């Protein structure tokens, strides 16, 4: 099975500041995708952003962007201008063509936004 | 978002009793998944389905079985619940089984086995 590691169980950020959540993964595949999902207290899982491994350009979605380092197998999420509504659990996830297209999730990072 | 309904939303049961969780979708997605979420483990795949009556095991399938008799329904059964199966269970669906495909999640079922 693929492994996805999130080494920061908890993070906090001041409102309007920037925070970066870390994710590393292990794979032998060359064709795969990486995702960040957000889980607010409502428990709903929300796709934040996704990155295709063969694309060198980092994905961005409004205030959310990633720093994808393929050689280092690193996929961090940057949240700019943090808002109170960003407080949630964030999960990094991996899906690859050779692993049956199954999704593998990290253990999550709980983000607190301080007013 | 996709219409995925999980029932029940909360359940408390006793060790040794059978439990069935239901996932119902209105999106006609072919692929359906059951995950469990536990602190320190994230989400782990239990079973998945790639069509009616077509299912396969995930990484934590022991103690669980699934059935899919209709496209819209995917049932997860704990034949004899144990305390280690206390968890939040999520159903997810996808239109295609491709690595770039977005997963659509239900709201989860909190199961407590006493």
């Amino acid at each position: 099975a693929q492994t996805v590691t999130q080494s920061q169980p908890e993070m906090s950020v001041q409102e309007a500041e920037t925070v970066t959540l870390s994710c590393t993964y292990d794979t032998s595949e060359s064709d795969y995708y990486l995702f960040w999902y957000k889980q607010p207290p409502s428990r709903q899982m929300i796709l934040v952003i996704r990155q295709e491994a063969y694309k060198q350009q980092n994905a961005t979605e409004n205030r959310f962007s990633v720093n994808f380092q393929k050689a280092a197998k690193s996929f961090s999420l940057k949240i700019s201008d943090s808002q109170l509504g960003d407080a949630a659990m964030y999960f990094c996830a991996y899906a690859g063509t050779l692993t049956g297209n199954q999704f593998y999730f990290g253990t999550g990072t709980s983000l607190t936004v301080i007013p | 978002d996709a219409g995925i309904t999980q029932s029940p939303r909360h359940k408390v049961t006793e060790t040794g009793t059978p439990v069935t969780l239901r996932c119902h979708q209105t999106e006609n997605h072919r692929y359906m998944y059951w995950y469990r979420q536990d602190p320190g483990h994230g989400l782990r795949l239990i079973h998945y389905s790639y069509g009616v009556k077509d299912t396969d095991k995930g990484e934590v399938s022991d103690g669980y079985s699934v059935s899919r008799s209709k496209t819209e329904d995917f049932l997860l059964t704990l034949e004899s619940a144990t305390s280690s199966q206390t968890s939040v269970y999520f159903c997810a669906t996808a239109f295609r089984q491709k690595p770039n495909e977005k997963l659509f999640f239900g709201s989860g079922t909190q199961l407590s086995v006493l």
Side-chain angles (χ1 to χ4, degrees), chain B residues 66-111:
Chain B
V66 291
S67 65
R68 191 166 178 204
S69 59
K70 298 184 292 185
T71 298
E72 56 266 34
D73 290 326
F74 192 32
L75 304 180
L76 176 70
T77 297
L78 291 66
E79 302 290 347
S80 178
T82 66
S83 59
S84 65
Q85 293 176 311
T86 292
S87 185
V88 180
Y89 290 86
F90 283 95
C91 174
T93 72
F95 178 63
R96 299 172 299 180
Q97 194 174 19
K98 294 197 175 291
N100 64 335
E101 194 74 6
K102 177 183 176 181
L103 287 178
F104 294 87
F105 286 85
S107 298
T109 295
Q110 172 71 62
L111 176 67

Side-chain angles (χ1 to χ4, degrees), chain A residues 8-54:
Chain A
Q8 306 155 316
E10 298 177 346
M11 291 282 286
S12 61
V13 61
Q14 206 76 31
E15 193 176 5
E17 296 297 309
T18 296
V19 64
T20 298
L21 309 184
S22 301
C23 173
T24 58
Y25 58 94
D26 184 30
T27 185
S28 57
E29 297 182 85
S30 59
D31 186 14
Y32 55 89
Y33 291 77
L34 298 161
F35 307 80
W36 280 99
Y37 278 86
K38 171 185 177 182
Q39 186 183 48
S42 67
R43 282 201 321 230
Q44 190 66 40
M45 292 286 284
I46 303 164
L47 177 63
V48 175
I49 200 166
R50 69 182 131 190
Q51 174 78 40
E52 302 170 53
Y54 64 87

Side-chain angles (χ1 to χ4, degrees), chain A residues 25-115:
Chain A
Y25 58 94
D26 184 30
T27 185
S28 57
E29 297 182 85
S30 59
D31 186 14
Y32 55 89
Y33 291 77
L34 298 161
F35 307 80
W36 280 99
Y37 278 86
K38 171 185 177 182
Q39 186 183 48
S42 67
R43 282 201 321 230
Q44 190 66 40
M45 292 286 284
I46 303 164
L47 177 63
V48 175
I49 200 166
R50 69 182 131 190
Q51 174 78 40
E52 302 170 53
Y54 64 87
K55 286 190 175 179
Q56 293 187 348
Q57 185 174 7
N58 289 326
T60 62
E61 288 287 344
N62 300 315
R63 298 182 295 107
F64 298 87
S65 61
V66 299
N67 183 6
F68 174 48
Q69 302 289 328
K70 190 172 184 179
K73 297 180 182 175
S74 171
F75 182 61
S76 60
L77 175 69
K78 185 173 81 171
I79 306 174
S80 304
D81 185 27
S82 298
Q83 301 176 359
L84 295 178
D86 295 333
M89 182 73 82
Y90 287 82
F91 291 99
C92 178
Y94 168 102
T97 53
L98 295 181
T99 51
N101 297 330
Q102 295 183 31
F103 289 76
Y104 295 91
F105 289 82
T107 52
T109 296
S110 178
L111 179 67
T112 300
V113 180
I114 303 166

